[in-house]
């Protein structure tokens, strides 16, 4: 089985509420009828919990699809292309350091809380192997220890599968309690100001080693699981 992520941009002039209805309604149903093994949709819609936003290419959302083989993606791409202004697809290697077992909504409903989607590009000052080791090898434990994350998905982009895909190297999805959007003590899982300062320091120093912040793109989004993989909560 293979995972694909399609980054989507809504057509100009289409309201975000209308785009959400299309993506979670007719488009999702069409994809499910194609027999996809799993389907999740993230959207920067009108239901997001406000959080940090750094926009450059400013995508509207992502669609994650699991297929028996990526060779069968043609009908999926044609359906998505029909309802989007731009479509960038990637073959993905997924890692889930934190599985959502505590905030699992009914299928098709929004995952509660603050959900962030970040688009990372390998910095020019690092080799790929060094970047990957810094991100997944040493940063991941720091992120898990210093934040109130209840879902953490690392999508390593193996290769683009559409033309004109941005040169991102990874797409990261993280979910936090809603209060984390406004309260740093909640976000950084801190019980005291001293712990807050220490957790912030560790996160900033860790991120600076492997992220070019001038190229970073991150958005609060709403996350919907339309067909969960068997045995996976979110």
């Amino acid at each position: 089985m293979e995972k694909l992520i399609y980054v989507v941009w809504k057509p100009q002039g289409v309201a975000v509420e209308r785009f959400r209805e299309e993506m979670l309604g007719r488009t999702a149903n069409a994809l499910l009828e194609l027999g996809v093994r799993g389907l999740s949709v993230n959207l920067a819609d009108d239901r997001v919990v406000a959080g940090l936003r750094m926009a450059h290419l400013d995508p509207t959302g992502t669609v994650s699809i699991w297929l028996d083989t990526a060779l069968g993606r043609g009908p999926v791409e044609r359906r998505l292309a029909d309802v989007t202004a731009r479509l960038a697809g990637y073959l993905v290697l997924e890692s889930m350091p934190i599985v959502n077992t505590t905030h699992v909504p009914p299928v098709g409903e929004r995952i509660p809380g603050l959900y962030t989607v970040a688009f990372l590009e390998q910095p020019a000052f690092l080799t790929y192997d060094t970047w990957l080791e810094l991100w997944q090898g040493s940063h991941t434990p720091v992120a898990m220890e210093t934040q109130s994350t209840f879902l953490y998905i690392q999508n390593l982009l193996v290769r683009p599968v559409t033309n004109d895909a941005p040169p991102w190297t990874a797409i990261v999805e993280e979910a936090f309690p809603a209060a984390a959007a406004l309260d740093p003590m909640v976000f950084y899982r801190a019980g005291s100001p001293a712990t807050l300062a220490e957790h912030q320091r560790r996160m900033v120093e860790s991120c600076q080693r492997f992220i070019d912040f001038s190229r970073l793109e991150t958005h609060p989004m709403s996350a919907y699981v339309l067909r969960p993989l068997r045995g996976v909560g979110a």
Side-chain angles (χ1 to χ4, degrees):
M1 189 182 301
E2 293 183 298
K3 180 179 180 180
L4 296 156
I5 290 185
Y6 291 94
V7 186
V8 299
W9 286 260
K10 71 179 183 65
Q12 187 175 4
V14 174
V16 69
E17 298 92 336
R18 177 73 177 274
F19 189 65
R20 182 189 68 241
E21 292 172 0
E22 171 62 47
M23 295 300 294
L24 301 182
R26 289 192 308 167
T27 295
N29 289 333
L31 296 175
L32 293 172
E33 289 174 2
L34 289 172
V36 300
R37 295 298 189 104
L39 174 63
S40 298
V41 177
N42 300 326
L43 295 170
D45 62 12
D46 55 320
R47 298 176 180 175
V48 297
V49 174
L52 176 65
R53 182 173 183 270
M54 300 175 67
H56 300 286
L57 299 179
D58 207 16
T60 312
T62 65
V63 179
S64 293
I65 292 170
W66 287 259
L67 297 172
D68 289 331
T69 172
L71 297 175
R73 68 185 185 273
V76 167
E77 291 182 359
R78 287 191 289 272
R79 178 61 195 180
L80 291 174
D82 284 343
V83 295
T84 58
R86 182 181 179 184
L87 186 67
Y90 303 86
L91 180 65
V92 170
L93 180 61
E94 180 191 73
S95 175
M96 196 178 296
I98 300 176
V99 177
N100 179 16
T101 60
T102 58
H103 298 77
V104 183
V107 173
E109 294 190 12
R110 184 183 179 279
I111 295 176
L114 168 64
Y115 201 96
T116 64
V117 181
F119 303 83
L120 307 183
E121 187 175 327
Q122 175 196 338
F125 58 81
L126 293 174
T127 66
Y128 180 82
D129 288 346
T130 300
W131 171 83
L132 186 61
E133 171 57 28
L134 287 172
W135 174 41
Q136 290 192 322
S138 62
H139 172 75
T140 298
V142 174
M144 295 172 65
E145 292 166 8
T146 62
Q147 298 179 121
S148 59
T149 323
F150 64 81
L151 172 65
Y152 187 12
I153 303 174
Q154 298 176 334
N155 299 291
L156 182 63
L157 306 186
V158 178
R159 62 179 175 86
V161 296
T162 60
N163 295 326
D164 194 32
W168 292 316
T169 322
I171 298 174
V172 181
E173 304 172 56
E174 295 177 280
F176 307 83
L182 299 175
D183 189 344
M185 295 283 283
V186 175
F187 187 93
Y188 286 102
R189 199 166 64 183
S192 68
T195 301
L196 172 63
E198 175 63 10
H199 285 187
Q200 288 176 320
R201 181 194 64 78
R202 291 181 66 196
M203 272 297 294
V204 169
E205 290 182 358
S206 183
C207 289
Q208 287 175 334
R209 295 178 304 153
F210 72 98
I211 294 177
D212 179 352
F213 286 94
S214 70
R215 308 284 292 178
L216 175 65
E217 180 126 19
T218 184
H219 297 267
M221 294 191 182
S222 294
Y224 307 88
V225 179
L226 286 305
R227 175 168 288 168
L229 292 178
R230 181 175 296 179
V232 179

